[in-house]
Structures are given as C-alpha cells and as structure tokens.
PDB file of all heavy atoms in Angstrom:
ATOM      1  N   THR A   1       0.837  -1.192   0.000  1.00  0.00           N
ATOM      2  CA  THR A   1       0.000   0.000   0.000  1.00  0.00           C
ATOM      3  C   THR A   1       0.869   1.238   0.000  1.00  0.00           C
ATOM      4  O   THR A   1       2.077   1.184   0.266  1.00  0.00           O
ATOM      5  CB  THR A   1      -0.907   0.039   1.243  1.00  0.00           C
ATOM      6  OG1 THR A   1      -0.085   0.220   2.394  1.00  0.00           O
ATOM      7  CG2 THR A   1      -1.745  -1.227   1.363  1.00  0.00           C
ATOM      8  N   SER A   2       0.252   2.347  -0.260  1.00  0.00           N
ATOM      9  CA  SER A   2       0.971   3.618  -0.264  1.00  0.00           C
ATOM     10  C   SER A   2       1.602   3.898   1.102  1.00  0.00           C
ATOM     11  O   SER A   2       2.748   4.335   1.184  1.00  0.00           O
ATOM     12  CB  SER A   2       0.013   4.750  -0.646  1.00  0.00           C
ATOM     13  OG  SER A   2       0.667   5.982  -0.603  1.00  0.00           O
ATOM     14  N   PHE A   3       0.863   3.608   2.188  1.00  0.00           N
ATOM     15  CA  PHE A   3       1.420   3.823   3.521  1.00  0.00           C
ATOM     16  C   PHE A   3       2.643   2.946   3.752  1.00  0.00           C
ATOM     17  O   PHE A   3       3.661   3.407   4.271  1.00  0.00           O
ATOM     18  CB  PHE A   3       0.382   3.561   4.613  1.00  0.00           C
ATOM     19  CG  PHE A   3       0.976   3.646   5.994  1.00  0.00           C
ATOM     20  CD1 PHE A   3       1.188   4.877   6.594  1.00  0.00           C
ATOM     21  CD2 PHE A   3       1.369   2.502   6.667  1.00  0.00           C
ATOM     22  CE1 PHE A   3       1.768   4.969   7.850  1.00  0.00           C
ATOM     23  CE2 PHE A   3       1.949   2.579   7.920  1.00  0.00           C
ATOM     24  CZ  PHE A   3       2.153   3.820   8.513  1.00  0.00           C
ATOM     25  N   GLU A   4       2.551   1.685   3.379  1.00  0.00           N
ATOM     26  CA  GLU A   4       3.678   0.769   3.568  1.00  0.00           C
ATOM     27  C   GLU A   4       4.900   1.226   2.785  1.00  0.00           C
ATOM     28  O   GLU A   4       6.026   1.145   3.266  1.00  0.00           O
ATOM     29  CB  GLU A   4       3.290  -0.647   3.159  1.00  0.00           C
ATOM     30  CG  GLU A   4       2.314  -1.301   4.107  1.00  0.00           C
ATOM     31  CD  GLU A   4       1.760  -2.608   3.570  1.00  0.00           C
ATOM     32  OE1 GLU A   4       1.597  -2.731   2.336  1.00  0.00           O
ATOM     33  OE2 GLU A   4       1.494  -3.498   4.386  1.00  0.00           O
ATOM     34  N   GLN A   5       4.684   1.721   1.569  1.00  0.00           N
ATOM     35  CA  GLN A   5       5.790   2.231   0.760  1.00  0.00           C
ATOM     36  C   GLN A   5       6.410   3.469   1.412  1.00  0.00           C
ATOM     37  O   GLN A   5       7.633   3.585   1.481  1.00  0.00           O
ATOM     38  CB  GLN A   5       5.313   2.557  -0.655  1.00  0.00           C
ATOM     39  CG  GLN A   5       4.973   1.334  -1.464  1.00  0.00           C
ATOM     40  CD  GLN A   5       4.293   1.670  -2.772  1.00  0.00           C
ATOM     41  OE1 GLN A   5       3.639   2.703  -2.903  1.00  0.00           O
ATOM     42  NE2 GLN A   5       4.443   0.792  -3.757  1.00  0.00           N
ATOM     43  N   ASN A   6       5.564   4.369   1.874  1.00  0.00           N
ATOM     44  CA  ASN A   6       6.069   5.581   2.537  1.00  0.00           C
ATOM     45  C   ASN A   6       6.825   5.237   3.811  1.00  0.00           C
ATOM     46  O   ASN A   6       7.872   5.821   4.106  1.00  0.00           O
ATOM     47  CB  ASN A   6       4.923   6.544   2.855  1.00  0.00           C
ATOM     48  CG  ASN A   6       4.339   7.178   1.623  1.00  0.00           C
ATOM     49  OD1 ASN A   6       4.952   7.200   0.570  1.00  0.00           O
ATOM     50  ND2 ASN A   6       3.130   7.694   1.755  1.00  0.00           N
ATOM     51  N   TYR A   7       6.300   4.280   4.566  1.00  0.00           N
ATOM     52  CA  TYR A   7       6.948   3.883   5.809  1.00  0.00           C
ATOM     53  C   TYR A   7       8.307   3.240   5.528  1.00  0.00           C
ATOM     54  O   TYR A   7       9.293   3.532   6.199  1.00  0.00           O
ATOM     55  CB  TYR A   7       6.051   2.933   6.598  1.00  0.00           C
ATOM     56  CG  TYR A   7       6.601   2.580   7.957  1.00  0.00           C
ATOM     57  CD1 TYR A   7       6.667   3.537   8.968  1.00  0.00           C
ATOM     58  CD2 TYR A   7       7.071   1.303   8.225  1.00  0.00           C
ATOM     59  CE1 TYR A   7       7.189   3.219  10.218  1.00  0.00           C
ATOM     60  CE2 TYR A   7       7.586   0.978   9.473  1.00  0.00           C
ATOM     61  CZ  TYR A   7       7.642   1.943  10.466  1.00  0.00           C
ATOM     62  OH  TYR A   7       8.160   1.636  11.686  1.00  0.00           O
ATOM     63  N   ALA A   8       8.366   2.372   4.538  1.00  0.00           N
ATOM     64  CA  ALA A   8       9.630   1.722   4.171  1.00  0.00           C
ATOM     65  C   ALA A   8      10.648   2.765   3.710  1.00  0.00           C
ATOM     66  O   ALA A   8      11.825   2.711   4.092  1.00  0.00           O
ATOM     67  CB  ALA A   8       9.395   0.683   3.079  1.00  0.00           C
ATOM     68  N   ARG A   9      10.210   3.721   2.913  1.00  0.00           N
ATOM     69  CA  ARG A   9      11.099   4.789   2.450  1.00  0.00           C
ATOM     70  C   ARG A   9      11.613   5.605   3.630  1.00  0.00           C
ATOM     71  O   ARG A   9      12.793   5.917   3.723  1.00  0.00           O
ATOM     72  CB  ARG A   9      10.363   5.689   1.450  1.00  0.00           C
ATOM     73  CG  ARG A   9      11.251   6.790   0.881  1.00  0.00           C
ATOM     74  CD  ARG A   9      10.522   7.686  -0.086  1.00  0.00           C
ATOM     75  NE  ARG A   9       9.482   8.407   0.645  1.00  0.00           N
ATOM     76  CZ  ARG A   9       8.260   8.620   0.194  1.00  0.00           C
ATOM     77  NH1 ARG A   9       7.892   8.187  -0.989  1.00  0.00           N
ATOM     78  NH2 ARG A   9       7.386   9.287   0.911  1.00  0.00           N
ATOM     79  N   HIS A  10      10.712   5.912   4.554  1.00  0.00           N
ATOM     80  CA  HIS A  10      11.101   6.695   5.728  1.00  0.00           C
ATOM     81  C   HIS A  10      12.097   5.924   6.598  1.00  0.00           C
ATOM     82  O   HIS A  10      13.092   6.484   7.057  1.00  0.00           O
ATOM     83  CB  HIS A  10       9.859   7.080   6.541  1.00  0.00           C
ATOM     84  CG  HIS A  10      10.181   7.854   7.765  1.00  0.00           C
ATOM     85  ND1 HIS A  10      10.678   9.136   7.720  1.00  0.00           N
ATOM     86  CD2 HIS A  10      10.104   7.528   9.077  1.00  0.00           C
ATOM     87  CE1 HIS A  10      10.882   9.567   8.960  1.00  0.00           C
ATOM     88  NE2 HIS A  10      10.549   8.602   9.793  1.00  0.00           N
ATOM     89  N   LYS A  11      11.834   4.642   6.843  1.00  0.00           N
ATOM     90  CA  LYS A  11      12.756   3.827   7.650  1.00  0.00           C
ATOM     91  C   LYS A  11      14.148   3.780   7.023  1.00  0.00           C
ATOM     92  O   LYS A  11      15.156   3.839   7.729  1.00  0.00           O
ATOM     93  CB  LYS A  11      12.207   2.409   7.824  1.00  0.00           C
ATOM     94  CG  LYS A  11      10.981   2.304   8.688  1.00  0.00           C
ATOM     95  CD  LYS A  11      11.280   2.512  10.147  1.00  0.00           C
ATOM     96  CE  LYS A  11      11.867   1.261  10.730  1.00  0.00           C
ATOM     97  NZ  LYS A  11      12.014   1.286  12.179  1.00  0.00           N
ATOM     98  N   ASN A  12      14.210   3.673   5.703  1.00  0.00           N
ATOM     99  CA  ASN A  12      15.504   3.677   5.015  1.00  0.00           C
ATOM    100  C   ASN A  12      16.216   5.011   5.185  1.00  0.00           C
ATOM    101  O   ASN A  12      17.426   5.053   5.396  1.00  0.00           O
ATOM    102  CB  ASN A  12      15.335   3.346   3.530  1.00  0.00           C
ATOM    103  CG  ASN A  12      14.999   1.891   3.298  1.00  0.00           C
ATOM    104  OD1 ASN A  12      15.311   1.028   4.115  1.00  0.00           O
ATOM    105  ND2 ASN A  12      14.340   1.613   2.190  1.00  0.00           N
ATOM    106  N   ALA A  13      15.464   6.097   5.079  1.00  0.00           N
ATOM    107  CA  ALA A  13      16.056   7.424   5.234  1.00  0.00           C
ATOM    108  C   ALA A  13      16.560   7.634   6.665  1.00  0.00           C
ATOM    109  O   ALA A  13      17.637   8.204   6.880  1.00  0.00           O
ATOM    110  CB  ALA A  13      15.045   8.509   4.860  1.00  0.00           C
ATOM    111  N   VAL A  14      15.799   7.170   7.653  1.00  0.00           N
ATOM    112  CA  VAL A  14      16.219   7.282   9.056  1.00  0.00           C
ATOM    113  C   VAL A  14      17.512   6.513   9.275  1.00  0.00           C
ATOM    114  O   VAL A  14      18.455   7.018   9.893  1.00  0.00           O
ATOM    115  CB  VAL A  14      15.104   6.781  10.010  1.00  0.00           C
ATOM    116  CG1 VAL A  14      15.622   6.602  11.422  1.00  0.00           C
ATOM    117  CG2 VAL A  14      13.920   7.741  10.002  1.00  0.00           C
ATOM    118  N   ALA A  15      17.584   5.291   8.765  1.00  0.00           N
ATOM    119  CA  ALA A  15      18.788   4.475   8.926  1.00  0.00           C
ATOM    120  C   ALA A  15      19.994   5.129   8.249  1.00  0.00           C
ATOM    121  O   ALA A  15      21.106   5.125   8.803  1.00  0.00           O
ATOM    122  CB  ALA A  15      18.555   3.070   8.366  1.00  0.00           C
ATOM    123  N   LYS A  16      19.784   5.708   7.080  1.00  0.00           N
ATOM    124  CA  LYS A  16      20.873   6.384   6.373  1.00  0.00           C
ATOM    125  C   LYS A  16      21.349   7.596   7.175  1.00  0.00           C
ATOM    126  O   LYS A  16      22.555   7.791   7.353  1.00  0.00           O
ATOM    127  CB  LYS A  16      20.409   6.814   4.982  1.00  0.00           C
ATOM    128  CG  LYS A  16      21.482   7.486   4.167  1.00  0.00           C
ATOM    129  CD  LYS A  16      20.991   7.826   2.775  1.00  0.00           C
ATOM    130  CE  LYS A  16      22.069   8.537   1.981  1.00  0.00           C
ATOM    131  NZ  LYS A  16      21.592   8.918   0.635  1.00  0.00           N
ATOM    132  N   ALA A  17      20.423   8.407   7.669  1.00  0.00           N
ATOM    133  CA  ALA A  17      20.788   9.581   8.481  1.00  0.00           C
ATOM    134  C   ALA A  17      21.529   9.145   9.740  1.00  0.00           C
ATOM    135  O   ALA A  17      22.541   9.755  10.118  1.00  0.00           O
ATOM    136  CB  ALA A  17      19.543  10.390   8.839  1.00  0.00           C
ATOM    137  N   ASN A  18      21.050   8.090  10.388  1.00  0.00           N
ATOM    138  CA  ASN A  18      21.705   7.607  11.609  1.00  0.00           C
ATOM    139  C   ASN A  18      23.152   7.207  11.341  1.00  0.00           C
ATOM    140  O   ASN A  18      24.052   7.533  12.120  1.00  0.00           O
ATOM    141  CB  ASN A  18      20.937   6.435  12.214  1.00  0.00           C
ATOM    142  CG  ASN A  18      19.646   6.862  12.857  1.00  0.00           C
ATOM    143  OD1 ASN A  18      19.424   8.021  13.156  1.00  0.00           O
ATOM    144  ND2 ASN A  18      18.762   5.901  13.070  1.00  0.00           N
ATOM    145  N   GLY A  19      23.391   6.504  10.261  1.00  0.00           N
ATOM    146  CA  GLY A  19      24.754   6.092   9.923  1.00  0.00           C
ATOM    147  C   GLY A  19      25.673   7.272   9.674  1.00  0.00           C
ATOM    148  O   GLY A  19      26.807   7.312  10.166  1.00  0.00           O
ATOM    149  N   LEU A  20      25.190   8.244   8.910  1.00  0.00           N
ATOM    150  CA  LEU A  20      25.994   9.437   8.621  1.00  0.00           C
ATOM    151  C   LEU A  20      26.252  10.246   9.887  1.00  0.00           C
ATOM    152  O   LEU A  20      27.378  10.703  10.134  1.00  0.00           O
ATOM    153  CB  LEU A  20      25.279  10.309   7.573  1.00  0.00           C
ATOM    154  CG  LEU A  20      25.154   9.701   6.177  1.00  0.00           C
ATOM    155  CD1 LEU A  20      24.191  10.520   5.323  1.00  0.00           C
ATOM    156  CD2 LEU A  20      26.517   9.588   5.510  1.00  0.00           C
ATOM    157  N   ASN A  21      25.215  10.407  10.705  1.00  0.00           N
ATOM    158  CA  ASN A  21      25.352  11.198  11.934  1.00  0.00           C
ATOM    159  C   ASN A  21      26.268  10.522  12.946  1.00  0.00           C
ATOM    160  O   ASN A  21      27.027  11.190  13.664  1.00  0.00           O
ATOM    161  CB  ASN A  21      23.984  11.478  12.545  1.00  0.00           C
ATOM    162  CG  ASN A  21      23.162  12.408  11.688  1.00  0.00           C
ATOM    163  OD1 ASN A  21      23.699  13.169  10.882  1.00  0.00           O
ATOM    164  ND2 ASN A  21      21.859  12.352  11.845  1.00  0.00           N
ATOM    165  N   LYS A  22      26.209   9.211  13.009  1.00  0.00           N
ATOM    166  CA  LYS A  22      27.073   8.466  13.923  1.00  0.00           C
ATOM    167  C   LYS A  22      28.542   8.728  13.581  1.00  0.00           C
ATOM    168  O   LYS A  22      29.363   8.962  14.477  1.00  0.00           O
ATOM    169  CB  LYS A  22      26.752   6.976  13.839  1.00  0.00           C
ATOM    170  CG  LYS A  22      27.599   6.105  14.731  1.00  0.00           C
ATOM    171  CD  LYS A  22      27.246   4.628  14.559  1.00  0.00           C
ATOM    172  CE  LYS A  22      28.254   3.748  15.258  1.00  0.00           C
ATOM    173  NZ  LYS A  22      28.058   2.336  14.954  1.00  0.00           N
ATOM    174  N   THR A  23      28.873   8.716  12.302  1.00  0.00           N
ATOM    175  CA  THR A  23      30.248   8.966  11.877  1.00  0.00           C
ATOM    176  C   THR A  23      30.703  10.362  12.271  1.00  0.00           C
ATOM    177  O   THR A  23      31.783  10.536  12.850  1.00  0.00           O
ATOM    178  CB  THR A  23      30.379   8.768  10.352  1.00  0.00           C
ATOM    179  OG1 THR A  23      30.045   7.415  10.042  1.00  0.00           O
ATOM    180  CG2 THR A  23      31.780   9.081   9.868  1.00  0.00           C
ATOM    181  N   VAL A  24      29.900  11.369  11.971  1.00  0.00           N
ATOM    182  CA  VAL A  24      30.240  12.755  12.317  1.00  0.00           C
ATOM    183  C   VAL A  24      30.403  12.909  13.827  1.00  0.00           C
ATOM    184  O   VAL A  24      31.347  13.543  14.311  1.00  0.00           O
ATOM    185  CB  VAL A  24      29.151  13.726  11.792  1.00  0.00           C
ATOM    186  CG1 VAL A  24      29.334  15.125  12.348  1.00  0.00           C
ATOM    187  CG2 VAL A  24      29.142  13.742  10.279  1.00  0.00           C
ATOM    188  N   LEU A  25      29.492  12.308  14.577  1.00  0.00           N
ATOM    189  CA  LEU A  25      29.524  12.416  16.030  1.00  0.00           C
ATOM    190  C   LEU A  25      30.776  11.767  16.609  1.00  0.00           C
ATOM    191  O   LEU A  25      31.488  12.372  17.418  1.00  0.00           O
ATOM    192  CB  LEU A  25      28.269  11.780  16.631  1.00  0.00           C
ATOM    193  CG  LEU A  25      28.127  11.861  18.137  1.00  0.00           C
ATOM    194  CD1 LEU A  25      28.112  13.311  18.621  1.00  0.00           C
ATOM    195  CD2 LEU A  25      26.864  11.144  18.576  1.00  0.00           C
ATOM    196  N   PHE A  26      31.081  10.544  16.207  1.00  0.00           N
ATOM    197  CA  PHE A  26      32.255   9.864  16.750  1.00  0.00           C
ATOM    198  C   PHE A  26      33.556  10.545  16.329  1.00  0.00           C
ATOM    199  O   PHE A  26      34.506  10.595  17.117  1.00  0.00           O
ATOM    200  CB  PHE A  26      32.262   8.381  16.381  1.00  0.00           C
ATOM    201  CG  PHE A  26      31.432   7.543  17.302  1.00  0.00           C
ATOM    202  CD1 PHE A  26      30.385   6.780  16.813  1.00  0.00           C
ATOM    203  CD2 PHE A  26      31.685   7.498  18.662  1.00  0.00           C
ATOM    204  CE1 PHE A  26      29.614   5.998  17.664  1.00  0.00           C
ATOM    205  CE2 PHE A  26      30.917   6.718  19.525  1.00  0.00           C
ATOM    206  CZ  PHE A  26      29.886   5.972  19.024  1.00  0.00           C
ATOM    207  N   ASP A  27      33.622  11.081  15.120  1.00  0.00           N
ATOM    208  CA  ASP A  27      34.815  11.829  14.705  1.00  0.00           C
ATOM    209  C   ASP A  27      35.047  13.020  15.624  1.00  0.00           C
ATOM    210  O   ASP A  27      36.172  13.285  16.052  1.00  0.00           O
ATOM    211  CB  ASP A  27      34.678  12.310  13.258  1.00  0.00           C
ATOM    212  CG  ASP A  27      34.787  11.187  12.232  1.00  0.00           C
ATOM    213  OD1 ASP A  27      35.181  10.053  12.603  1.00  0.00           O
ATOM    214  OD2 ASP A  27      34.459  11.445  11.052  1.00  0.00           O
ATOM    215  N   THR A  28      33.979  13.745  15.945  1.00  0.00           N
ATOM    216  CA  THR A  28      34.079  14.928  16.809  1.00  0.00           C
ATOM    217  C   THR A  28      34.448  14.539  18.234  1.00  0.00           C
ATOM    218  O   THR A  28      35.326  15.152  18.851  1.00  0.00           O
ATOM    219  CB  THR A  28      32.755  15.714  16.794  1.00  0.00           C
ATOM    220  OG1 THR A  28      32.458  16.085  15.444  1.00  0.00           O
ATOM    221  CG2 THR A  28      32.836  16.951  17.658  1.00  0.00           C
ATOM    222  N   LEU A  29      33.774  13.520  18.781  1.00  0.00           N
ATOM    223  CA  LEU A  29      34.060  13.096  20.154  1.00  0.00           C
ATOM    224  C   LEU A  29      35.497  12.606  20.292  1.00  0.00           C
ATOM    225  O   LEU A  29      36.169  12.912  21.281  1.00  0.00           O
ATOM    226  CB  LEU A  29      33.071  12.015  20.586  1.00  0.00           C
ATOM    227  CG  LEU A  29      31.619  12.453  20.725  1.00  0.00           C
ATOM    228  CD1 LEU A  29      30.714  11.244  20.961  1.00  0.00           C
ATOM    229  CD2 LEU A  29      31.455  13.481  21.834  1.00  0.00           C
ATOM    230  N   ALA A  30      35.988  11.857  19.323  1.00  0.00           N
ATOM    231  CA  ALA A  30      37.361  11.357  19.370  1.00  0.00           C
ATOM    232  C   ALA A  30      38.356  12.513  19.341  1.00  0.00           C
ATOM    233  O   ALA A  30      39.338  12.515  20.091  1.00  0.00           O
ATOM    234  CB  ALA A  30      37.608  10.396  18.210  1.00  0.00           C
ATOM    235  N   ALA A  31      38.093  13.512  18.495  1.00  0.00           N
ATOM    236  CA  ALA A  31      38.986  14.668  18.412  1.00  0.00           C
ATOM    237  C   ALA A  31      39.032  15.444  19.734  1.00  0.00           C
ATOM    238  O   ALA A  31      40.057  16.047  20.072  1.00  0.00           O
ATOM    239  CB  ALA A  31      38.547  15.588  17.272  1.00  0.00           C
ATOM    240  N   LEU A  32      37.938  15.420  20.491  1.00  0.00           N
ATOM    241  CA  LEU A  32      37.880  16.095  21.794  1.00  0.00           C
ATOM    242  C   LEU A  32      38.484  15.258  22.919  1.00  0.00           C
ATOM    243  O   LEU A  32      38.627  15.738  24.037  1.00  0.00           O
ATOM    244  CB  LEU A  32      36.429  16.445  22.138  1.00  0.00           C
ATOM    245  CG  LEU A  32      35.762  17.510  21.287  1.00  0.00           C
ATOM    246  CD1 LEU A  32      34.271  17.553  21.572  1.00  0.00           C
ATOM    247  CD2 LEU A  32      36.413  18.870  21.548  1.00  0.00           C
ATOM    248  N   GLY A  33      38.783  13.992  22.652  1.00  0.00           N
ATOM    249  CA  GLY A  33      39.325  13.110  23.677  1.00  0.00           C
ATOM    250  C   GLY A  33      38.272  12.462  24.561  1.00  0.00           C
ATOM    251  O   GLY A  33      38.589  11.830  25.560  1.00  0.00           O
TER     252      GLY A  33
END
C-alpha cells in the first residue's frame, strides 16, 4: 500500500541519516578526547 511504501522509504532514510550522523559524532568526540 501507499502507507507501507512511505513507511519503508522513511525507515531507510532514518537508517541512512543515523549512519551518517554516527560517523560525524564519533569523529568529533574522538577529536575532543
């Protein structure tokens, strides 16, 4: 259904954002010690 497609698309986008944000966050935290 349209809802299922939208939900699947959203879940993929959330997972992609989480992965990118995790990298940026850990790079910054490591640089700060």
Side-chain angles (χ1 to χ4, degrees):
T1 67
S2 178
F3 174 80
E4 289 170 327
Q5 290 171 333
N6 290 341
Y7 185 69
R9 182 181 65 222
H10 179 68
K11 291 288 281 189
N12 288 335
V14 167
K16 182 177 178 182
N18 287 342
L20 293 168
N21 292 337
K22 179 182 170 188
T23 299
V24 169
L25 182 59
F26 277 122
D27 288 349
T28 302
L29 293 172
L32 292 169

